[in-house]
Amino acid sequence: MKMAALCSEFGDLVQIKKQLISVISLCKERGLLHSAKWASELAFALEPLPKDGLPPTSALTEEDAQDLDALTLAKSYFDLKEYDRAAYFLKGCRSQKAYFLYMYSRYLSGEKKKDDETVDSLGPLEKGQVRNEALRELRVELSKKHTAGELDGFTLYLYGVVLRKLDLPKEAVDVFVEGIHALPLHWGAWLELSNLVTNIEMLKSLSLPDCWIKDFFMAHMYTELQMIKEALQKYQNLIEAGFSKSTYIISQIAVAYHNIRDIDQALALFNELREQDPYRIDNMDTFSNLLYVKSMKPELSYLAHNLVEIDKYRVETCCVIGNYYSLRSQHEKAALYFQRALKLNPRCLGAWTLMGHEYMEMKNTSAAIQAYRHAIEVNKRDYRAWYGLGQTYEILKMPFYCLYYYRKAHQLRPNDSRMLVALGESYEKLSQQAEAKKCYWRAYSVGDVEKMALLKLAKLHEQLNESDDAAQCYMLYIQDIFSCGEQLEHAEVSTALRYLGQYYFKNKLYDEASLCAQRCCDYNDAREEGKALLRQISQVRDQIETPSADLFAPLSNNNTPVRRVSPLNLISFTP
């Protein structure tokens, strides 16, 4: 029975459960454990089937029967990671299942040897220095079978993986799409495809089967492409369709909130996830990132100890411990644990990025650059690595390089104010003030996370002697700082008040100038200047005779400064 014919809409959850049970069995037989795990978690979230409702086991073909003994023996070796041995006993087998396991064993044997060589000399190696030697042979053999139309869904998936590893992304995408059409319920093929989709236009151009699993893929892709609103809507639809108990969906929603820096919401979901699945290690590195950002040292310490008890040699555990030491400012120890994570999995994106951050803290810029570049090799959509490279070159005082990397980060996160502020600073250093102004204003418009954009824009106007614009930005900055409720460490309210005091004084708006001067006295670094300005205002007022009081008539019933200068046109700064 063709798996493609089994696809149904969400209306029939019983049918979906049967499909999942069938595909779990197929994946396990072929050693595709991660796909089997994903399908199992999803099946567990659905209601159990009665005994007579369980799907029948797939019927054996004549070829399957002939290869059964060899396949059973080889699978036992495969499970013990004796890949060469498994491949040896499968050579010459004719069934589809045996052929897949034969080719997959050869592929994994090459990967294991490559990883062993990488680990032996991890420090870290340049791309292309260590290769899976089996890839070229596998490609030649699979290509012949593909041309003859003899590959099933699983073997097409393997062919796609081989092509991706050989840096042939276009060919790999075509093969993955073909494999997904042949076997829509194999999640591994969807995930591999997701790693090759670079933008929304490419995603829309793909011809994908109209199957319920496509919604999971689209939600995953929206998260990867930073289209978080769309991703959350998709996951909400999936919950309403009947997957409300799925820990996979909860974890994905938590990751989505993490990506838009909605930290409290993400933390709440991760805590819920740990209650439902206390021994889960997947995504716990993301959870630790959130605890790190919130400086929740006791919670991060507890998480690290807990994961060590469960499995200390998991990549996620090493990343959590690394984050814990980083929070304690023990950066050498943190880097050591991120290196350990990379020995376990050299393609661990988070570990490369976090190791780059640690090298930055240790002022080791060359190692940081290397780590960030490795992260980009693993996933070109990782904005943190592009942003990290920009910061590294900023330290090296190379603004043209900064601009290139910050632009890349901004393209991936167009509404992230931090990328825009960094771009603005780069433009400023390159004396491109008009571009810098646009970036700062855009950063404020999209919701300035760090409350820095207006301050930098005001200072830029001040340098350019655009006093009206500078004053307007300083006023907005003060309103912004006080409206957020919490006092930020870097807040420069005193700087803004000092400037506004002088600005109002020069424009003979003495009431406003006096108010700013009084507020300056609340800050240590501006107290003396505030007092000096109050004395100046007092002297000027003493000199002004009563007849000239009508000069301030417009201010008597209104605290808003009367503008004696040309009105601001901030719209002109919008990109």
Side-chain angles (χ1 to χ4, degrees), residues 306-503:
N306 185 232
L307 294 185
V308 166
E309 283 176 13
I310 298 167
D311 186 352
K312 67 195 247 182
Y313 294 114
R314 273 283 290 269
V315 172
E316 294 89 344
T317 304
C318 294
C319 288
V320 171
I321 298 168
N323 271 338
Y324 171 68
Y325 281 121
S326 182
L327 191 55
R328 293 183 60 178
S329 299
Q330 293 176 257
H331 301 297
E332 290 83 0
K333 262 191 172 180
L336 195 67
Y337 273 95
F338 293 133
Q339 280 183 337
R340 187 177 289 182
L342 290 164
K343 284 190 176 185
L344 293 166
N345 178 9
R347 287 188 62 79
C348 176
L349 173 66
W352 281 119
T353 308
L354 292 168
M355 195 158 77
H357 295 346
E358 294 312 308
Y359 283 134
M360 284 277 283
E361 292 288 346
M362 293 188 276
K363 306 288 187 285
N364 187 347
T365 48
S366 61
I369 287 168
Q370 203 172 20
Y372 288 134
R373 287 195 190 285
H374 273 283
I376 289 164
E377 280 170 20
V378 174
N379 186 353
K380 287 184 170 61
R381 292 193 303 263
D382 183 29
Y383 76 92
R384 294 169 303 171
W386 292 108
Y387 184 63
L389 278 170
Q391 287 180 309
T392 314
Y393 282 109
E394 200 172 321
I395 290 169
L396 296 171
K397 295 184 167 52
M398 298 168 78
F400 277 109
Y401 281 85
C402 291
L403 194 61
Y404 173 77
Y405 292 116
Y406 284 143
R407 268 182 184 156
K408 286 279 190 184
H410 170 59
Q411 283 165 10
L412 292 165
R413 300 268 290 190
N415 293 323
D416 193 322
S417 62
R418 293 167 301 163
M419 313 301 146
L420 286 157
V421 169
L423 262 178
E425 287 172 338
S426 298
Y427 279 125
E428 214 175 321
K429 282 169 189 163
L430 293 165
S431 302
Q432 296 184 34
Q433 279 86 358
E435 296 300 318
K437 286 179 194 175
K438 288 177 186 177
C439 289
Y440 292 143
W441 182 251
R442 173 87 176 132
Y444 168 66
S445 304
V446 297
D448 187 10
V449 176
E450 294 172 335
K451 309 289 181 195
M452 291 289 285
L454 282 171
L455 184 67
K456 289 185 179 294
L457 182 56
K459 286 181 177 178
L460 182 56
H461 283 309
E462 196 179 336
Q463 286 169 23
L464 298 169
N465 295 318
E466 297 167 357
S467 56
D468 298 342
D469 297 343
Q472 181 75 355
C473 289
Y474 275 130
M475 274 191 280
L476 286 170
Y477 171 69
I478 291 171
Q479 288 166 11
D480 214 23
I481 290 293
F482 286 115
S483 67
C484 74
E486 54 181 307
Q487 195 63 29
L488 301 167
E489 283 180 26
H490 63 257
E492 292 185 40
V493 176
S494 57
T495 307
L497 288 168
R498 266 196 305 240
Y499 184 85
L500 286 170
Q502 293 294 341
Y503 171 78

Side-chain angles (χ1 to χ4, degrees), residues 242-291:
F243 291 97
S244 56
K245 294 177 185 173
S246 168
T247 51
Y248 167 78
I249 291 178
I250 295 170
S251 69
Q252 289 300 104
I253 294 172
V255 168
Y257 279 121
H258 163 267
N259 287 0
I260 53 168
R261 296 176 72 80
D262 189 339
I263 295 168
D264 294 332
Q265 190 74 38
L267 280 173
L269 284 164
F270 272 119
N271 284 319
E272 181 190 330
L273 192 61
R274 277 178 61 76
E275 278 177 28
Q276 287 188 31
D277 192 357
Y279 293 95
R280 181 190 182 94
I281 295 181
D282 298 341
N283 307 113
M284 287 303 115
D285 49 339
T286 307
F287 184 31
S288 75
N289 292 344
L290 295 162
L291 296 173

Side-chain angles (χ1 to χ4, degrees), residues 544-552:
I544 295 172
E545 295 298 325
T546 313
S548 60
D550 63 330
L551 180 67
F552 298 103

